[in-house]
Amino acid sequence: MQHLVDTEDLSDIQLANIIRDAKAFKRQLPPPLLQNRLLITLFFENSTRTRSSFEIAGKRLGATVVHLDPTKSSTKKGETLGDTFDTLSAMGADGIIIRHEFNSVPRKLADKNSTTVINAGAGNYAHPTQALLDYFTLLEIFGDLKGKRIAIVGDIVSSRVASSAIRLFERVGMDITLVAPEPFMPNNSLRKCEKLDDELLDNVDIIMSLRAQLERHKAPIFEDYDEYAKEYCITKERLKDRNIIVLHPGPVMRNIDISDEMLEDQRCKVLEQVKNGVFIRMAILKALLLDS
Ligand code: NCD
Protein backbone atom coordinates (compact mmCIF):
# COMPACT_ATOMS: atom_id res chain seq x y z
CA MET A 1 0.00 0.00 0.00
CA GLN A 2 1.45 3.34 -1.00
CA HIS A 3 1.03 6.57 0.98
CA LEU A 4 2.04 10.17 0.33
CA VAL A 5 3.21 11.77 3.54
CA ASP A 6 5.96 13.72 1.81
CA THR A 7 7.50 13.57 -1.65
CA GLU A 8 10.29 11.34 -0.29
CA ASP A 9 7.67 8.56 -0.41
CA LEU A 10 7.87 8.73 -4.21
CA SER A 11 10.66 7.13 -6.24
CA ASP A 12 12.28 9.10 -9.07
CA ILE A 13 10.30 7.00 -11.55
CA GLN A 14 7.02 7.71 -9.76
CA LEU A 15 7.86 11.41 -9.67
CA ALA A 16 8.51 11.41 -13.42
CA ASN A 17 5.31 9.44 -14.08
CA ILE A 18 3.23 11.88 -12.03
CA ILE A 19 4.57 14.80 -14.05
CA ARG A 20 3.96 12.90 -17.30
CA ASP A 21 0.37 12.08 -16.31
CA ALA A 22 -0.40 15.61 -15.06
CA LYS A 23 0.80 16.96 -18.41
CA ALA A 24 -1.36 14.45 -20.32
CA PHE A 25 -4.44 15.15 -18.15
CA LYS A 26 -4.01 18.87 -18.73
CA ARG A 27 -4.10 18.29 -22.50
CA GLN A 28 -7.03 15.91 -22.38
CA LEU A 29 -9.13 14.63 -19.50
CA PRO A 30 -8.70 10.88 -19.05
CA PRO A 31 -11.48 8.27 -18.83
CA PRO A 32 -12.87 7.57 -15.31
CA LEU A 33 -9.86 5.58 -14.10
CA LEU A 34 -11.01 5.59 -10.46
CA GLN A 35 -14.61 4.52 -10.97
CA ASN A 36 -15.93 2.61 -7.92
CA ARG A 37 -13.14 4.00 -5.74
CA LEU A 38 -14.01 5.88 -2.55
CA LEU A 39 -12.00 8.87 -1.36
CA ILE A 40 -12.64 10.68 1.91
CA THR A 41 -11.36 14.17 2.68
CA LEU A 42 -10.78 14.85 6.37
CA PHE A 43 -9.59 18.40 7.01
CA PHE A 44 -8.91 19.52 10.58
CA GLU A 45 -7.66 22.91 9.35
CA ASN A 46 -9.22 25.41 6.97
CA SER A 47 -8.70 25.03 3.25
CA THR A 48 -9.98 26.55 0.03
CA ARG A 49 -7.63 25.31 -2.67
CA THR A 50 -6.30 21.98 -1.48
CA ARG A 51 -9.61 20.44 -0.43
CA SER A 52 -11.60 21.54 -3.48
CA SER A 53 -8.70 20.64 -5.77
CA PHE A 54 -8.57 17.08 -4.37
CA GLU A 55 -12.33 16.73 -4.60
CA ILE A 56 -12.39 17.92 -8.20
CA ALA A 57 -9.41 15.69 -9.08
CA GLY A 58 -11.12 12.63 -7.58
CA LYS A 59 -14.43 13.36 -9.30
CA ARG A 60 -12.77 13.97 -12.66
CA LEU A 61 -11.30 10.48 -12.37
CA GLY A 62 -14.74 9.04 -11.61
CA ALA A 63 -14.16 8.37 -7.89
CA THR A 64 -16.80 8.88 -5.24
CA VAL A 65 -15.61 11.65 -2.95
CA VAL A 66 -17.01 12.14 0.54
CA HIS A 67 -16.05 14.95 2.89
CA LEU A 68 -16.18 14.60 6.66
CA ASP A 69 -16.27 17.91 8.48
CA PRO A 70 -14.49 17.33 11.82
CA THR A 71 -16.24 20.32 13.42
CA LYS A 72 -19.54 18.44 12.98
CA SER A 73 -18.23 14.89 13.54
CA SER A 74 -17.84 12.63 16.58
CA THR A 75 -14.45 14.30 17.16
CA LYS A 76 -16.63 16.82 18.95
CA LYS A 77 -17.98 14.00 21.15
CA GLY A 78 -14.49 12.99 22.22
CA GLU A 79 -13.68 10.33 19.61
CA THR A 80 -9.95 9.99 18.99
CA LEU A 81 -8.49 10.78 15.59
CA GLY A 82 -7.33 7.17 15.29
CA ASP A 83 -10.86 5.90 15.89
CA THR A 84 -12.35 8.37 13.39
CA PHE A 85 -9.79 7.24 10.84
CA ASP A 86 -10.48 3.53 11.49
CA THR A 87 -14.21 4.18 11.14
CA LEU A 88 -13.75 5.79 7.72
CA SER A 89 -11.38 3.00 6.64
CA ALA A 90 -13.98 0.40 7.69
CA MET A 91 -16.48 2.01 5.33
CA GLY A 92 -14.22 0.97 2.49
CA ALA A 93 -12.27 4.15 1.78
CA ASP A 94 -9.58 3.55 -0.84
CA GLY A 95 -7.84 6.74 0.23
CA ILE A 96 -8.11 9.26 3.04
CA ILE A 97 -6.85 12.76 2.36
CA ILE A 98 -5.97 14.42 5.62
CA ARG A 99 -4.96 17.88 6.82
CA HIS A 100 -3.97 18.38 10.44
CA GLU A 101 -2.18 20.90 12.63
CA PHE A 102 0.20 18.23 14.01
CA ASN A 103 3.27 17.27 11.99
CA SER A 104 3.15 13.59 12.91
CA VAL A 105 -0.50 12.79 12.12
CA PRO A 106 -0.32 11.64 8.46
CA ARG A 107 2.65 9.32 9.11
CA LYS A 108 1.00 7.79 12.18
CA LEU A 109 -2.19 7.06 10.23
CA ALA A 110 -0.22 5.77 7.24
CA ASP A 111 1.61 3.34 9.52
CA LYS A 112 -1.71 1.61 10.24
CA ASN A 113 -1.66 0.51 6.59
CA SER A 114 -5.44 0.20 6.53
CA THR A 115 -6.01 2.61 3.64
CA THR A 116 -3.89 4.92 1.50
CA VAL A 117 -3.11 8.16 3.34
CA ILE A 118 -2.49 11.36 1.43
CA ASN A 119 -1.11 14.30 3.37
CA ALA A 120 -2.92 17.51 2.44
CA GLY A 121 -0.86 19.58 4.89
CA ALA A 122 0.56 18.69 8.30
CA GLY A 123 1.65 21.42 10.73
CA ASN A 124 4.79 23.07 9.45
CA TYR A 125 6.24 19.74 8.35
CA ALA A 126 4.95 18.85 4.91
CA HIS A 127 2.51 19.65 2.12
CA PRO A 128 3.68 17.31 -0.64
CA THR A 129 0.95 17.96 -3.20
CA GLN A 130 1.69 21.69 -3.08
CA ALA A 131 5.39 20.98 -3.69
CA LEU A 132 4.50 18.73 -6.62
CA LEU A 133 2.17 21.26 -8.23
CA ASP A 134 4.81 23.98 -7.82
CA TYR A 135 7.39 21.66 -9.38
CA PHE A 136 5.03 20.91 -12.29
CA THR A 137 4.29 24.62 -12.80
CA LEU A 138 8.01 25.44 -12.91
CA LEU A 139 8.80 22.53 -15.23
CA GLU A 140 6.19 23.81 -17.68
CA ILE A 141 7.91 27.20 -17.70
CA PHE A 142 11.58 26.23 -17.59
CA GLY A 143 11.72 22.68 -18.98
CA ASP A 144 14.66 21.77 -16.77
CA LEU A 145 15.10 23.00 -13.22
CA LYS A 146 18.67 21.93 -12.50
CA GLY A 147 20.57 25.00 -11.29
CA LYS A 148 17.51 27.27 -11.41
CA ARG A 149 17.71 29.81 -8.60
CA ILE A 150 14.72 30.22 -6.30
CA ALA A 151 14.28 32.62 -3.39
CA ILE A 152 11.72 31.52 -0.81
CA VAL A 153 10.43 34.67 0.88
CA GLY A 154 8.33 35.06 4.02
CA ASP A 155 7.37 33.02 7.05
CA ILE A 156 9.52 30.04 6.14
CA VAL A 157 9.90 28.56 9.62
CA SER A 158 6.14 28.02 10.04
CA SER A 159 5.46 26.94 6.47
CA ARG A 160 4.82 23.34 5.47
CA VAL A 161 4.78 24.58 1.88
CA ALA A 162 8.39 25.74 2.29
CA SER A 163 9.41 22.54 4.12
CA SER A 164 8.17 20.28 1.34
CA ALA A 165 9.36 22.61 -1.42
CA ILE A 166 12.88 22.75 0.01
CA ARG A 167 13.18 18.95 0.15
CA LEU A 168 11.83 18.48 -3.40
CA PHE A 169 13.71 21.41 -4.95
CA GLU A 170 16.99 20.23 -3.42
CA ARG A 171 16.32 16.75 -4.79
CA VAL A 172 15.95 18.08 -8.33
CA GLY A 173 19.07 20.23 -8.10
CA MET A 174 17.65 23.71 -7.69
CA ASP A 175 19.60 26.49 -5.99
CA ILE A 176 17.67 27.77 -2.95
CA THR A 177 18.03 31.01 -0.99
CA LEU A 178 15.86 31.75 2.02
CA VAL A 179 14.81 35.37 2.46
CA ALA A 180 13.13 36.38 5.71
CA PRO A 181 13.43 38.49 8.82
CA GLU A 182 15.07 36.66 11.69
CA PRO A 183 11.86 35.41 13.43
CA PHE A 184 10.68 33.80 10.17
CA MET A 185 13.99 32.13 9.32
CA PRO A 186 14.45 28.40 9.99
CA ASN A 187 17.66 26.95 11.33
CA ASN A 188 19.22 24.90 8.53
CA SER A 189 22.24 24.90 6.27
CA LEU A 190 20.66 26.68 3.28
CA ARG A 191 21.88 30.06 2.01
CA LYS A 192 20.10 32.86 3.87
CA CYS A 193 19.52 36.53 3.25
CA GLU A 194 17.61 38.99 5.37
CA LYS A 195 17.01 41.53 2.62
CA LEU A 196 15.02 41.31 -0.58
CA ASP A 197 17.35 43.73 -2.31
CA ASP A 198 18.58 44.36 -5.87
CA GLU A 199 21.62 42.14 -5.45
CA LEU A 200 19.39 39.20 -4.54
CA LEU A 201 16.82 39.94 -7.24
CA ASP A 202 19.56 40.13 -9.89
CA ASN A 203 20.46 36.55 -9.03
CA VAL A 204 17.17 34.64 -8.94
CA ASP A 205 14.92 33.07 -11.55
CA ILE A 206 11.97 32.38 -9.25
CA ILE A 207 10.47 33.87 -6.09
CA MET A 208 8.15 31.82 -3.91
CA SER A 209 6.28 34.22 -1.63
CA LEU A 210 4.68 32.86 1.55
CA ARG A 211 1.97 34.09 3.87
CA ALA A 212 2.71 34.81 7.53
CA GLN A 213 1.21 31.75 9.28
CA LEU A 214 -0.51 33.77 11.99
CA GLU A 215 -2.47 30.74 13.22
CA ARG A 216 0.82 28.95 14.00
CA HIS A 217 2.40 31.80 15.97
CA LYS A 218 2.13 31.34 19.73
CA ALA A 219 2.37 35.10 20.20
CA PRO A 220 2.16 37.85 17.55
CA ILE A 221 5.56 38.16 15.83
CA PHE A 222 5.02 41.51 14.12
CA GLU A 223 2.64 44.15 15.41
CA ASP A 224 2.37 45.76 12.04
CA TYR A 225 2.45 43.80 8.80
CA ASP A 226 2.56 47.01 6.76
CA GLU A 227 6.09 47.47 8.10
CA TYR A 228 6.93 43.88 7.12
CA ALA A 229 5.42 44.51 3.66
CA LYS A 230 7.79 47.45 3.08
CA GLU A 231 10.68 44.98 3.18
CA TYR A 232 9.20 41.81 1.72
CA CYS A 233 6.11 42.51 -0.41
CA ILE A 234 6.63 41.45 -4.04
CA THR A 235 5.86 44.60 -6.04
CA LYS A 236 6.53 45.83 -9.56
CA GLU A 237 8.75 48.58 -8.15
CA ARG A 238 10.92 45.93 -6.55
CA LEU A 239 11.03 43.49 -9.48
CA LYS A 240 11.30 46.17 -12.19
CA ASP A 241 11.52 44.44 -15.59
CA ARG A 242 13.44 41.43 -14.32
CA ASN A 243 12.35 38.14 -15.76
CA ILE A 244 11.43 36.50 -12.44
CA ILE A 245 8.59 33.99 -12.04
CA VAL A 246 6.50 34.61 -8.91
CA LEU A 247 4.78 31.75 -7.09
CA HIS A 248 2.54 31.75 -4.01
CA PRO A 249 0.59 28.78 -2.63
CA GLY A 250 -2.32 30.97 -1.55
CA PRO A 251 -4.13 32.33 0.27
CA VAL A 252 -2.33 35.58 -0.60
CA MET A 253 -2.35 38.44 1.88
CA ARG A 254 -2.74 41.17 -0.73
CA ASN A 255 -0.25 44.03 -0.51
CA ILE A 256 1.64 42.24 2.28
CA ASP A 257 2.90 39.17 0.38
CA ILE A 258 2.31 40.38 -3.20
CA SER A 259 0.92 43.71 -4.43
CA ASP A 260 -2.42 43.97 -6.27
CA GLU A 261 -0.56 45.13 -9.35
CA MET A 262 1.95 42.28 -9.26
CA LEU A 263 -0.85 39.72 -8.88
CA GLU A 264 -2.11 40.86 -12.31
CA ASP A 265 1.35 40.64 -13.88
CA GLN A 266 2.18 37.89 -16.39
CA ARG A 267 5.16 36.83 -14.26
CA CYS A 268 2.88 35.92 -11.37
CA LYS A 269 1.64 32.31 -11.66
CA VAL A 270 -0.70 32.03 -8.68
CA LEU A 271 -3.77 30.98 -10.69
CA GLU A 272 -1.71 28.73 -12.96
CA GLN A 273 -0.55 26.95 -9.78
CA VAL A 274 -4.19 26.49 -8.76
CA LYS A 275 -5.09 25.18 -12.22
CA ASN A 276 -2.14 22.77 -12.25
CA GLY A 277 -3.06 21.59 -8.75
CA VAL A 278 -6.07 19.70 -10.07
CA PHE A 279 -4.05 17.88 -12.77
CA ILE A 280 -1.19 17.03 -10.44
CA ARG A 281 -3.62 15.68 -7.83
CA MET A 282 -5.32 13.56 -10.50
CA ALA A 283 -1.89 12.18 -11.38
CA ILE A 284 -1.08 11.57 -7.71
CA LEU A 285 -4.36 9.71 -7.12
CA LYS A 286 -3.67 7.56 -10.17
CA ALA A 287 -0.10 6.84 -8.99
CA LEU A 288 -1.15 5.90 -5.45
CA LEU A 289 -4.38 4.02 -6.14
CA LEU A 290 -3.83 2.44 -9.55
CA ASP A 291 -0.16 2.23 -10.42
CA SER A 292 1.40 0.98 -7.19
C1 NCD B 1 -1.12 26.63 2.35
C2 NCD B 1 -1.35 25.71 3.52
O1 NCD B 1 -2.46 25.55 4.02
O2 NCD B 1 -0.36 25.13 3.92
N1 NCD B 1 -2.17 26.78 1.49
C3 NCD B 1 -2.39 25.82 0.53
O3 NCD B 1 -2.55 24.67 0.81
N2 NCD B 1 -2.37 26.23 -0.75
C4 NCD B 1 -0.42 27.87 2.67
C5 NCD B 1 -1.03 28.84 3.64
O4 NCD B 1 -2.05 28.58 4.27
O5 NCD B 1 -0.42 29.89 3.78
Side-chain angles (χ1 to χ4, degrees), residues 49-242:
R49 276 151 280 267
T50 307
R51 183 185 144 196
S52 45
S53 181
F54 264 117
E55 293 186 6
I56 293 163
K59 285 179 181 171
R60 285 204 179 149
L61 288 171
T64 300
V65 185
V66 170
H67 173 65
L68 181 76
D69 177 358
T71 64
K72 299 203 170 56
S73 75
S74 292
T75 306
K76 288 285 165 202
K77 302 180 193 169
E79 186 173 64
T80 67
L81 171 62
D83 286 342
T84 303
F85 179 83
D86 290 343
T87 301
L88 299 177
S89 299
M91 289 180 193
D94 296 289
I96 296 184
I97 297 158
I98 182 149
R99 168 170 286 193
H100 201 280
E101 67 184 296
F102 294 149
N103 291 3
S104 59
V105 160
R107 182 66 71 196
K108 271 194 193 138
L109 297 177
D111 285 346
K112 287 171 176 268
N113 261 323
S114 54
T115 185
T116 290
V117 170
I118 305 176
N119 176 10
N124 71 350
Y125 157 62
H127 192 347
T129 63
Q130 182 69 44
L132 289 164
L133 78 88
D134 291 341
Y135 176 50
F136 178 48
T137 303
L138 292 175
L139 276 177
E140 281 196 318
I141 297 167
F142 292 101
D144 182 19
L145 295 181
K146 205 164 266 154
K148 284 282 174 280
R149 302 159 302 172
I150 184 165
I152 302 181
V153 181
D155 186 2
I156 303 164
V157 73
S158 305
S159 171
R160 55 192 171 215
V161 173
S163 303
S164 278
I166 288 168
R167 287 189 286 269
L168 182 61
F169 292 167
E170 280 200 306
R171 176 172 169 184
V172 300
M174 290 175 72
D175 177 275
I176 305 170
T177 304
L178 307 181
V179 184
E182 193 267 330
F184 284 172
M185 193 65 97
N187 183 8
N188 59 31
S189 60
L190 289 169
R191 186 186 313 118
K192 298 185 178 65
C193 187
E194 204 168 333
K195 286 205 165 10
L196 189 60
D197 55 17
D198 282 338
E199 193 190 333
L200 181 111
L201 293 170
D202 284 339
N203 289 293
V204 294
D205 305 296
I206 306 146
I207 290 176
M208 174 186 280
S209 166
L210 297 170
R211 178 180 70 92
Q213 302 279 301
L214 303 178
E215 70 276 28
R216 276 175 238 292
H217 300 162
K218 290 194 182 76
I221 292 186
F222 292 104
E223 294 255 308
D224 183 354
Y225 273 87
D226 289 335
E227 287 301 311
Y228 166 86
K230 277 188 197 145
E231 303 293 328
Y232 298 99
C233 186
I234 312 301
T235 61
K236 277 198 173 182
E237 298 80 68
R238 218 175 222 121
L239 255 52
K240 306 203 176 75
D241 59 358
R242 293 182 183 93

